[in-house]
Amino acid sequence: MEEQPEQPNWALLEATLSAEAFQALKNHVNGVETPDPPPRQETLEEAAKKQAVLEDTMARLRAQATVTEGVVQRNCQEKSGDVALVASDSVREAVTTLREKGCVRLNQVLSESSCDELLAAVEAQLHAKTSTLAEDELIPASGFGTVLVRNNRYDMYIPHEGVYAHALDQMLGAGNSHPILGDFFRELFEGKDLSKAVVRELSTLIADPGAPRQPLHPDVHFHPYPQLYSCFVALQDVDESMGPTVFLPGTHNELDHATFNGPELKKAEFLKNQEYRSSLLKKGDCAIFEARLLHCGSANESDKRRTMFYLTLQDPEYLDVHVPCCVCEEDQKLSKFPEVELSLRDFD
């Protein structure tokens, strides 16, 4: 007769194991198959906590990457000795530079007195809004655009009226005392329908002391044709400590976008070999850039506010050549806000 295998001390095991572990062991010894327990459903609280940890980790990684980008920029600028975005001598030269480099500077597109009037109006509007709105209420519905790294930074929409309308007339109106910007775009869009060169944005960018550096970014994802042109007009002199916008000239092409969005090691090497230009503008000067260009706002380490009046024009041929896609369908609207219905033709 075969010997029966010695049985475990079930009483001892039951006293020392959890109920689940004890039952699983007993089933195994007795040859009873135990079905796998159903996976435990994650609670909403656990899922939210996990998501918060993930978002915090990603935010810290982005912040560290942004610090690294700043170090690379300073090293490249110190090595080259060239820092400032350089102004063009003529409208025609400026157009050629924009097409080649993706960014250009035009001096004195707005008079100093108009800059002072605009700055006072912007200060009053910002004070009125921030006095009555909480930080989480600074959203498009209340007149504020989305902006990367919002800390101490505002993108505040402005109406096409009063001093704001007067400033646009001065910059874009044919035959006015400072039509440089209008002449520039008429040269850039020569032969095109200027009624399709619509004003997509009319706003201000405000960076207070302590505003951190933004990560490098383009304003649109890559298409093989131009889409938008933004014009940043300084309402006061801007020095390096005030966090000027930094441009990487020539990066508005498909290869540079692919490298920038590719593996980190290739991206890091790419950034080390770029030209960096800071928009160290005087009051009334303007930096113009194509939306595909890599750029960022740098950190405002001064005790002064940096305020930029800006507008964005759409390329007149964009909607004629653009193939609709899920990423940029929203971009085809004529304006981000219905009260602004303007085109370059309106300033002829």
Side-chain angles (χ1 to χ4, degrees):
M1 186 174 66
E2 294 183 5
E3 281 190 31
Q4 294 295 319
E6 185 178 349
Q7 289 292 309
N9 186 336
W10 294 114
L12 177 62
L13 291 171
E14 186 173 18
T16 56
L17 296 175
S18 67
E20 293 84 358
F22 174 74
Q23 188 60 52
L25 177 61
K26 192 171 183 180
N27 289 343
H28 174 72
V29 171
N30 294 328
V32 177
E33 290 189 9
T34 305
D36 293 333
R40 189 178 71 85
Q41 292 296 314
E42 193 173 51
T43 67
L44 291 176
E45 183 179 359
E46 289 171 334
K49 188 177 294 186
K50 186 184 293 185
Q51 181 65 24
V53 170
L54 177 61
E55 290 177 356
D56 179 66
T57 301
M58 294 303 296
R60 286 188 285 108
L61 289 173
R62 284 193 297 269
Q64 182 56 52
T66 301
V67 170
T68 302
E69 289 173 357
V71 172
V72 171
Q73 174 199 328
R74 287 191 292 273
N75 289 342
C76 289
Q77 288 183 325
E78 288 174 3
K79 185 178 179 180
S80 69
D82 294 325
V83 174
L85 187 65
V86 179
S88 293
D89 293 329
S90 68
V91 166
R92 180 159 294 182
E93 179 186 301
V95 167
T96 300
T97 299
L98 180 73
R99 286 173 174 155
E100 177 186 346
K101 298 290 189 179
C103 57
V104 70
R105 173 176 174 171
L106 291 177
N107 288 341
Q108 291 302 294
V109 303
L110 193 60
S111 68
E112 290 198 12
S113 59
S114 291
C115 288
D116 292 340
E117 291 174 358
L118 274 177
L119 187 59
V122 170
E123 294 280 352
Q125 181 176 326
L126 181 65
H127 176 73
K129 285 184 173 290
T130 54
S131 296
T132 56
L133 296 172
E135 186 173 348
D136 60 0
E137 295 177 310
L138 303 181
I139 57 177
S142 58
F144 289 85
T146 55
V147 59
L148 279 176
V149 191
R150 184 181 287 278
N151 314 52
N152 295 346
R153 189 177 267 116
Y154 308 91
D155 182 344
M156 184 177 70
Y157 302 154
I158 54 178
H160 181 236
E161 60 187 34
V163 294
Y164 304 124
H166 175 70
L168 274 186
D169 288 339
Q170 188 180 140
M171 293 190 300
L172 297 176
N176 287 341
S177 57
H178 288 73
I180 303 171
L181 193 61
D183 290 348
F184 169 85
F185 279 110
R186 289 181 184 90
E187 177 79 18
L188 179 66
F189 299 149
E190 186 178 11
K192 300 180 181 181
D193 183 354
L194 298 186
S195 68
K196 293 183 177 180
V198 296
V199 176
R200 284 287 313 283
E201 294 174 300
L202 183 60
S203 194
T204 54
L205 279 175
I206 302 161
D208 280 342
R213 182 185 177 90
Q214 294 177 319
L216 286 167
H217 63 280
D219 284 343
V220 295
H221 71 285
F222 185 80
H223 281 300
Y225 38 80
Q227 178 177 333
L228 302 170
Y229 303 90
S230 291
C231 312
F232 288 179
V233 182
L235 299 186
Q236 71 291 292
D237 292 353
V238 178
D239 62 43
E240 191 68 55
S241 69
M242 294 169 68
T245 307
V246 177
F247 301 106
L248 277 62
T251 57
H252 55 314
N253 63 79
E254 186 172 14
L255 177 59
D256 284 351
H257 272 239
T259 306
F260 182 75
N261 293 314
E264 286 299 320
L265 288 178
K266 287 187 177 181
K267 175 182 175 180
E269 190 63 26
F270 164 77
L271 293 178
K272 289 178 183 177
N273 290 283
Q274 293 306 303
E275 178 185 1
Y276 293 80
R277 292 285 179 171
S278 300
S279 51
L280 304 177
L281 306 176
K282 296 296 184 182
K283 183 193 294 186
D285 293 351
C286 177
I288 308 169
F289 67 99
E290 216 242 76
R292 295 176 296 180
L293 191 76
L294 295 176
H295 66 282
C296 70
S298 53
N300 187 345
E301 298 172 340
S302 73
D303 58 358
K304 296 172 285 188
R305 169 176 284 174
R306 178 175 66 93
T307 303
M308 314 297 287
F309 171 55
Y310 84 89
L311 68 147
T312 300
L313 286 175
Q314 184 168 278
D315 188 281
E317 294 182 341
Y318 168 63
L319 294 184
D320 295 331
V321 299
H322 180 62
V323 177
C325 67
C326 61
V327 181
C328 56
E329 199 72 27
E330 184 71 13
D331 292 343
Q332 296 186 62
K333 291 184 178 179
L334 295 186
S335 174
K336 286 189 174 179
F337 17 94
E339 62 270 22
V340 178
E341 295 182 359
L342 294 169
S343 74
L344 191 57
R345 174 61 55 79
D346 295 319
F347 296 91
D348 280 350

